[in-house]
Amino acid sequence: MGLTNYIFNLFQDSVLNAAGTERMLLEVIQAGDIDRAKEMMQCRDYEVSKALKEYDPEAHEVNRRPNKMRRDKKPYYTEKLPRGRQKYINEVELFFLLGQPIIWKATSEGTENAFQAFSKFLQDTRFNSTIREAKRLAGAETECAKVYHIYREGNEPRVKAKVIALSNGYTLRPLFDQWDNLVAFGYGYYLNENGTNVEHFDIETPGIIYRCRLGRTGWEVLPIPNPTGKINVIYYRQEKAWAGIQRRIDREEFVDSKAADTNNYFADPKLKATADVIGSMTGGGTEMVGEVLTMTDKERSSVEYLAPPEYSSMKDSEKKDLAQSILFDTFTPDFSYENMKGMGTLSGEAMRRAMALGYMKRDNLKETYDELVDREKNLILAIMRNVTHIELSGELSRLELSHEFAEPFAEDKGTRINNITTLYRAGLMSLDTAIEMLAFTDKTDEEIQRILKEKEEAQKRAQQMQYFTNE
């Protein structure tokens, strides 16, 4: 009865206080009409399926090129040569944004234990790898979600993070209000139960998590109080990484395939000869050629190999333009071997200038992912305060965190240390800033005190040595 009363009171308060969208959803769930609840939520399955089709080379349009029909012969097989341009563009986009782990810093005082616990939580839930997985899926299919599953193992609370998307068997159904606030999040999946695939649909709200199962007589709904007070889902959405250039990619694949057809046709030498020459050949004579073309010129004998046509400069120019424009229009640097050969000795600043396109796209993506990372941070702190680290809830409430996306190209540590040291010795940087930039320790203030104390002791020893020397 305690749980029932809690859910009833929570539902009643939500109906009285929630915006219209949330109130309608709660009323529909309360009535057990989960199909209606799903219809209220956002469905982007068409856009996602289209993006996945473009992302998969085996599903590209070029694979449906018809073979060429020939009179009295088998159809001529045409080449179908798709490329993985979409995947390359997406992986480069991922590299520039999350090639190195996100850097976290505690900006509040007296919260060292909370920050250490936060860092350990990130490690235990594989934050760095799951956010890379989420970014890769979002760039490939325009949306995905990271779900924080809270459960108990024995008497201990546990948390597991899982990235879900249409490509790995989940349907995503976010629900936003008119201010683009996430009101609820639903996700569907199938579980094998006694040899039968059974449909499940979970709906997360700040107050209650609804576990829904489609039974023989309809939906069975199990409401569970949400201990965090937040929707335990981070919904990732962005444009596909190759947005706007799919038609150029299609064209490049067709040009490549037609060029391959030409190469196949002229791969074996073709002999062109008059009938009398062919008749005079003994022992076959034509085994090493792909085809013999007979001419009917009766006045003179002739035999020669048929040379393939020259590859036109227009076609070569088109291929080059397509390759360059596909990368340029998606702000994607060229990491080909030929392009990278001359960059091996470039400094970090010179490399950043050479890769300006990638940094432009990285800054654009930050507009989306800065907010998503901040939301995930707030969700993690709520989970820690209310579920996993209740004993630290006071310190966690005071913990203030900042984050920044690390440089994709790891700078040489020796060069970095020398540069910071030079600036400090020249008086252009404080000791506090130097230690913080070196990032050898999270406890900057304590490290500074130790350095100053050691300097003071060294000065005392020097003075004592000078005293005894003078004596």
Side-chain angles (χ1 to χ4, degrees), residues 256-313:
D256 284 348
S257 299
K258 289 181 178 180
D261 288 342
T262 302
N263 291 337
N264 287 343
Y265 187 75
F266 291 99
D268 294 325
K270 300 183 186 302
L271 189 66
K272 182 175 68 172
T274 54
D276 62 315
V277 173
I278 294 174
S280 66
M281 291 181 178
T282 59
T286 59
E287 294 87 347
M288 301 305 294
V289 298
E291 187 175 354
V292 177
L293 305 178
T294 304
M295 298 183 296
T296 59
D297 192 342
K298 298 180 180 179
E299 296 183 0
R300 61 191 182 96
S301 299
S302 174
V303 60
E304 61 180 311
Y305 283 107
L306 183 64
E310 292 293 330
Y311 194 77
S312 71
S313 59

Side-chain angles (χ1 to χ4, degrees), residues 53 58-67 78 80 254:
K53 181 179 177 182
E58 296 303 318
H60 287 186
E61 186 69 26
V62 72
N63 292 310
R64 290 187 286 277
R65 286 188 70 205
N67 294 329
T78 57
K80 292 92 173 165
F254 273 89

Side-chain angles (χ1 to χ4, degrees), residues 54-254:
E54 295 174 359
Y55 198 71
D56 180 12
E58 296 303 318
H60 287 186
E61 186 69 26
V62 72
N63 292 310
R64 290 187 286 277
R65 286 188 70 205
N67 294 329
K68 295 181 179 179
M69 305 304 296
R70 297 186 295 180
R71 181 180 297 177
D72 300 328
K73 292 183 180 181
K74 293 181 179 179
Y76 180 81
Y77 175 80
T78 57
E79 291 292 342
K80 292 92 173 165
L81 302 177
R83 299 195 60 169
R85 287 286 195 184
Q86 295 86 346
K87 185 174 182 180
Y88 172 81
I89 294 169
N90 191 36
E91 288 297 324
V92 172
E93 183 177 287
L94 172 62
F95 167 77
F96 271 92
L97 187 67
L98 295 169
Q100 301 292 331
I102 290 174
I103 300 171
W104 294 94
K105 292 182 181 179
T107 58
S108 52
E109 296 182 357
T111 55
E112 292 80 7
N113 293 331
F115 182 67
Q116 186 175 1
F118 175 81
S119 301
K120 184 66 166 56
F121 186 97
L122 297 185
Q123 180 182 345
D124 292 342
T125 55
R126 301 182 298 110
F127 173 83
N128 290 328
S129 58
T130 53
I131 196 172
R132 280 179 56 86
E133 182 184 358
K135 170 65 192 75
R136 178 179 287 112
L137 288 172
E141 49 194 287
T142 74
E143 71 172 9
C144 71
K146 189 193 291 191
V147 179
Y148 279 87
H149 175 53
I150 301 170
Y151 63 101
R152 283 192 171 272
E153 193 172 276
N155 292 324
E156 295 295 323
R158 294 284 185 267
V159 180
K160 182 177 182 180
K162 180 178 176 63
V163 181
I164 62 175
L166 185 64
S167 59
N168 57 23
Y170 289 83
T171 56
L172 310 185
R173 296 292 184 269
L175 178 64
F176 298 93
D177 63 14
Q178 67 270 32
W179 306 109
D180 290 331
N181 297 312
L182 188 63
V183 172
F185 190 89
Y187 52 98
Y189 54 95
Y190 285 83
L191 293 179
N192 190 290
E193 300 176 7
N194 299 321
T196 303
N197 286 332
V198 178
E199 183 179 359
H200 290 253
F201 190 78
D202 296 349
I203 303 174
E204 298 230 5
T205 68
I208 303 175
I209 300 173
Y210 299 92
R211 307 288 187 198
C212 309
R213 176 184 181 276
L214 185 59
R216 294 183 177 180
T217 59
W219 286 97
E220 303 163 1
V221 182
L222 175 63
I224 302 171
N226 186 350
T228 65
K230 292 181 176 291
I231 298 173
N232 303 312
V233 178
I234 304 299
Y235 176 59
Y236 292 80
R237 179 180 170 185
Q238 67 161 90
E239 281 192 330
K240 55 191 177 185
W242 63 98
I245 50 90
Q246 181 58 38
R247 293 179 65 180
R248 282 185 174 267
I249 294 176
D250 290 339
R251 175 64 182 174
E252 182 185 45
E253 292 175 342
F254 273 89

Side-chain angles (χ1 to χ4, degrees), residues 347-357 359:
S347 65
E349 183 61 32
M351 180 68 77
R352 282 189 285 273
R353 291 176 182 174
M355 297 293 171
L357 280 177
Y359 279 93

Side-chain angles (χ1 to χ4, degrees), residues 391-452:
E391 70 282 359
L392 286 174
S393 59
E395 190 173 326
L396 285 165
S397 298
R398 300 194 308 275
L399 178 62
E400 296 179 3
L401 294 167
S402 65
H403 72 270
E404 62 178 285
F405 294 95
E407 279 291 318
F409 297 98
E411 189 176 359
D412 180 70
K413 290 185 178 180
T415 303
R416 177 180 173 83
I417 292 171
N418 289 335
N419 291 338
I420 294 173
T421 303
T422 301
L423 289 171
Y424 171 67
R425 288 176 177 172
L428 300 175
M429 179 185 295
S430 68
L431 179 61
D432 192 351
T433 303
I435 293 175
E436 184 177 348
M437 289 183 66
L438 288 171
F440 288 147
T441 176
D442 294 330
K443 301 178 180 179
T444 305
D445 294 336
E446 294 181 13
E447 188 67 21
I448 291 174
Q449 293 301 321
R450 281 195 290 267
I451 291 173
L452 295 177

Side-chain angles (χ1 to χ4, degrees), residues 44-58:
R44 300 186 64 255
D45 289 352
Y46 173 77
E47 293 86 349
V48 174
S49 298
K50 183 180 179 183
L52 283 171
K53 181 179 177 182
E54 295 174 359
Y55 198 71
D56 180 12
E58 296 303 318

